[in-house]
């Protein structure tokens, strides 16, 4: 390759990098501007929230104080943590076992079953609301944490993530364990799971965040205000506060703080988990 060709390649690479940087900046602004607006509104007095300017003349924490004092947001936090934790741990257990069976075990119609699981990704969750509600009602689980968590545990994308990750592990590990007399359950528990921490971390984080943000299903199965989740509580606050936008935004900001902390603390685990599951480009 001549010097001219090298220069052209470098020039094209620089242009491509600049275009990518511009696209990333544009998408970052699309996400950050609403967040900045929410923070700006939360620190304003309610009488100033209808003004369209960004600068705050009298920044105040009054909205946060009213939310903590006049609502059950701390109780909602507790309910959300319990439900999201149950959902995340249950998803890891069920999806990892299913992924292990699809990846390491040989049985008839295994590939067909895998495609059936993948087809579940394309089914909108709203389609299953009515049968799931009737199922929870028949089991007497309405207004319980299990009514919210149980339908969210079987997740097709989590099964896919574990299956793809397990496919990347050397099968010689299974053979060595079988020589030592280990069965499938022991191989799964003692050999495969300890090596699957990146996939487990990714699935835990995704399941936790999805459960934390879910509104429609908890709104249907929870009528007891003592066990409402953050999104359901936010919906009630929005209805009771009316045009008190500062209070609404303060509640939303407080509800988002745990998720921001989770992403900041475990972003490396998310990247490592996705990089080893076949979801990469």
């Amino acid at each position: 390759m001549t010097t001219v060709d090298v220069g052209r390649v470098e020039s094209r690479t620089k242009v491509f990098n600049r275009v990518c940087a511009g696209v990333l900046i544009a998408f970052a602004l699309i996400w950050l501007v609403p967040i900045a607006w929410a923070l700006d509104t939360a620190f304003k007095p309610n009488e100033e929230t209808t003004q369209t300017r960004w600068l705050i003349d009298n920044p105040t924490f009054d909205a946060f104080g009213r939310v903590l004092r006049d609502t059950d947001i701390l109780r909602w936090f507790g309910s959300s943590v319990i439900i999201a934790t149950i959902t995340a741990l249950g998803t890891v257990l069920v999806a990892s076992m299913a992924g292990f069976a699809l990846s390491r075990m040989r049985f008839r119609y295994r590939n067909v079953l895998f495609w059936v699981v993948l087809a579940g990704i394309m089914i909108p969750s709203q389609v299953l609301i009515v049968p799931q509600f009737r199922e929870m009602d028949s089991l007497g689980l309405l207004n319980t944490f299990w009514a919210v968590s149980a339908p969210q545990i079987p997740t097709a994308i989590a099964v896919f993530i574990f299956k793809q990750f397990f496919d990347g592990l050397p099968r010689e590990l299974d053979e060595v364990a079988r020589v030592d007399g280990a069965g499938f359950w022991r191989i799964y528990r003692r050999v495969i799971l300890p090596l699957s921490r990146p996939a487990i971390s990714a699935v835990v984080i995704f399941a936790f965040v999805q459960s934390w943000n879910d509104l429609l299903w908890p709104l249907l199965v929870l009528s007891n205000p003592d066990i409402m989740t953050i999104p359901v509580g936010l919906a009630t606050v929005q209805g009771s506060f009316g045009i008190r936008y500062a209070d609404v935004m303060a509640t939303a900001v407080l509800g988002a703080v745990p998720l921001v902390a989770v992403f900041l603390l475990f972003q490396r685990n998310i990247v490592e988990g996705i990089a080893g599951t076949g979801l990469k480009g």
Side-chain angles (χ1 to χ4, degrees):
M1 183 177 292
T2 64
T3 305
V4 176
D5 293 334
V6 173
R8 290 177 180 176
V9 171
E10 292 179 352
S11 177
R12 292 175 182 176
T13 302
K14 291 180 180 179
V15 172
F16 178 76
N17 291 337
R18 290 174 182 175
V19 171
C20 291
V23 172
L24 290 175
I25 292 173
F27 276 101
L29 291 176
I30 291 174
W31 284 100
L32 291 176
V33 169
I35 295 175
W37 181 83
L39 290 171
D40 179 78
T41 304
F43 286 104
K44 285 181 178 179
N46 277 302
E47 56 272 15
E48 295 183 12
T49 55
T50 55
Q51 301 176 7
T52 56
R53 52 197 177 88
W54 283 87
L55 297 178
I56 307 175
D57 293 335
N58 302 301
T60 177
F61 287 91
D62 290 347
F64 294 93
R66 284 192 298 271
V67 169
L68 293 173
R69 182 179 64 252
D70 300 337
T71 68
D72 294 326
I73 190 170
L74 297 180
R75 187 174 296 173
W76 301 338
F77 265 110
S79 298
S80 292
V81 169
I82 294 174
I83 291 172
T85 301
I86 294 174
T87 302
L89 295 180
T91 300
V92 168
L93 178 62
V94 172
S96 62
M97 293 176 68
F100 176 80
L102 292 171
S103 175
R104 318 300 277 197
M105 301 176 68
R106 295 290 180 265
F107 53 91
R108 183 178 295 183
Y109 305 123
R110 180 173 64 94
N111 292 331
V112 175
L113 182 59
F114 178 58
W115 284 107
V116 171
V117 171
L118 290 183
I121 300 176
M122 297 180 287
I123 299 177
S125 58
Q126 293 80 2
V127 175
L128 305 175
I129 284 179
V130 173
Q132 286 177 344
F133 183 87
R134 296 188 64 179
E135 182 180 5
M136 294 298 106
D137 187 24
S138 62
L139 294 174
L141 294 178
L142 295 181
N143 275 319
T144 65
F145 294 145
W146 292 108
V148 182
S149 297
Q152 301 183 66
I153 289 176
T155 307
I157 187 63
V159 176
F160 175 76
I161 289 175
F162 276 113
K163 197 266 183 187
Q164 295 300 102
F165 189 89
F166 294 159
D167 285 346
L169 297 179
R171 296 189 178 274
E172 288 78 8
L173 298 173
D174 301 27
E175 297 174 1
V176 171
R178 289 194 188 97
V179 171
D180 292 337
F184 280 111
W185 173 251
R186 189 175 179 184
I187 294 174
Y188 161 79
R189 186 167 54 92
R190 295 291 184 88
V191 179
I192 300 300
L193 279 188
L195 298 175
S196 306
R197 292 179 181 177
I200 292 174
S201 300
V203 171
V204 165
I205 294 169
F206 287 147
F208 187 93
V209 171
Q210 181 179 1
S211 178
W212 186 280
N213 288 331
D214 192 18
L215 169 64
L216 181 58
W217 179 246
L219 188 63
L220 292 175
V221 299
L222 297 179
S223 58
N224 185 353
D226 293 337
I227 57 175
M228 284 183 177
T229 60
I230 286 289
V232 178
L234 177 59
T236 61
V237 167
Q238 190 170 1
S240 60
F241 285 170
I243 60 173
R244 292 162 59 181
Y245 298 118
D247 297 358
V248 175
M249 289 299 106
T251 308
V253 169
L254 290 175
V257 167
L259 300 185
V260 174
V262 167
F263 273 110
L264 291 178
L265 292 174
F266 300 104
Q267 56 181 333
R268 179 178 298 179
N269 301 84
I270 298 175
V271 174
E272 291 178 355
I274 295 302
T277 59
L279 295 181
K280 54 186 178 180

